[in-house]
Amino acid sequence: MIPVKKTGAISLVLLILFSSCKKSNYEDGGVLDPVFKGSSMEYLESGKGMFDTLNKIIRFAGMEETLRNQEVTFFAPPDPTIRLTIRLTNMLLYSYGKDTIRRVEQVKPAVWKKMLGRYMFAHKKSLNDYPQIDFFNIPVFPGQPYVSLEGSVMNVGVDYQDAGGIQYAGLRTLYLSYIRSMSAPSNSLLSASVATSNITTNNGYVHVLRYALSGLALNPSLNDLDLSTHYFGFDPLLFYNEALNAGIDP
């Protein structure tokens, strides 16, 4: 975990960064052809500018063959999400006088694999195959837990908006959620919404996650991180701790 003796320095850095990040908007992945004639890996390789860093991480982590040949559903985190998380990690590393991350290869492959595996599932499911989730009525519509390739128990569900005064008759949005506490699963979800769903490939489905455009999107205190923003690995400090514990190469 992060030492507490320098939280004042971290809070100052966060305050400076936060003051330059006043907007809080999102950009969808755009309208894409729902059927891709190729593997899930080939689809990601075709998305120039959106998945360049992600593709590099997939190869470095040794997960390329999984996305080429195995039947999987992949909730793809776009490059801005990864850059946001690395930026937060570097800010924390800098606060403690440590070298920052400039290349993917500085972080151990096992760390990347653990994080990536949280977004992959050994099944082939579209939006229509997942149950409903209502974040304001979890006991009735809880979504459903699934075990990811990495071994984490994740929640996947479809949120139904209202339309024309009719409950649950509107737009549907797919959500992938990390369960922080199995003792209180419905009260400990860190969720990421899907911007573009149901991209069908030769070996599964790719659902592209939405990403924030507002920089770090952090509150001034480290104790008040904005958990509504999706960070790579879901927990905003998880990647930092995992990378630091495994050792960051120079």
Side-chain angles (χ1 to χ4, degrees), residues 181-242:
S181 173
M182 292 306 299
S183 62
S186 62
N187 297 321
S188 62
L189 299 180
L190 291 179
S191 302
S193 61
V194 169
T196 305
S197 61
N198 292 0
I199 300 165
T200 309
T201 68
N202 290 346
N203 63 314
Y205 282 97
V206 176
H207 306 295
V208 181
L209 295 173
R210 184 173 287 119
Y211 60 89
L213 290 176
S214 54
L216 278 173
L218 302 174
N219 288 322
S221 170
L222 185 61
N223 295 322
D224 298 313
L225 291 174
D226 182 5
L227 299 183
S228 65
T229 296
H230 175 225
Y231 299 89
F232 186 58
F234 289 87
D235 187 323
L237 300 181
L238 178 62
F239 180 79
Y240 165 78
N241 286 321
E242 292 283 345

Side-chain angles (χ1 to χ4, degrees), residues 14-98:
L14 290 174
L15 178 60
I16 295 172
L17 290 170
F18 178 77
S19 64
S20 63
C21 302
K22 295 182 179 179
K23 294 183 179 179
S24 180
N25 53 358
Y26 292 86
E27 178 176 306
D28 287 353
V31 179
L32 302 175
D33 188 342
V35 178
F36 180 81
K37 296 180 180 179
S39 67
S40 296
M41 189 68 209
E42 289 173 315
Y43 167 74
L44 296 173
E45 291 171 336
S46 72
K48 300 297 183 182
M50 180 66 76
F51 305 116
D52 293 350
T53 302
L54 176 62
N55 290 334
K56 185 181 296 185
I57 291 169
I58 289 170
R59 296 188 186 97
F60 187 60
M63 303 192 76
E64 182 176 358
E65 287 304 309
T66 299
L67 289 167
R68 286 196 189 280
N69 299 315
Q70 295 184 29
E71 183 175 280
V72 293
T73 295
F74 183 40
F75 290 79
D79 284 2
T81 292
I82 298 171
R83 290 196 295 265
L84 174 71
T85 307
I86 292 176
R87 185 182 174 193
L88 171 60
T89 300
N90 282 342
M91 179 194 68
L92 297 172
L93 291 171
Y94 181 81
S95 297
Y96 293 107
K98 300 180 182 296

Side-chain angles (χ1 to χ4, degrees), residues 51 100-101 116 124 132 148 178 231 235 237:
F51 305 116
T100 55
I101 299 169
L116 281 172
K124 187 176 181 179
Q132 183 177 354
S148 71
Y178 170 58
Y231 299 89
D235 187 323
L237 300 181

Side-chain angles (χ1 to χ4, degrees), residues 7 41 47 69 83 97 102 113 130 135-136 143 151 160 195 228 238:
T7 52
M41 189 68 209
N69 299 315
R83 290 196 295 265
R102 302 175 305 282
K113 186 174 183 178
Y130 290 110
F135 293 101
F136 298 100
Y160 290 68
S228 65
L238 178 62

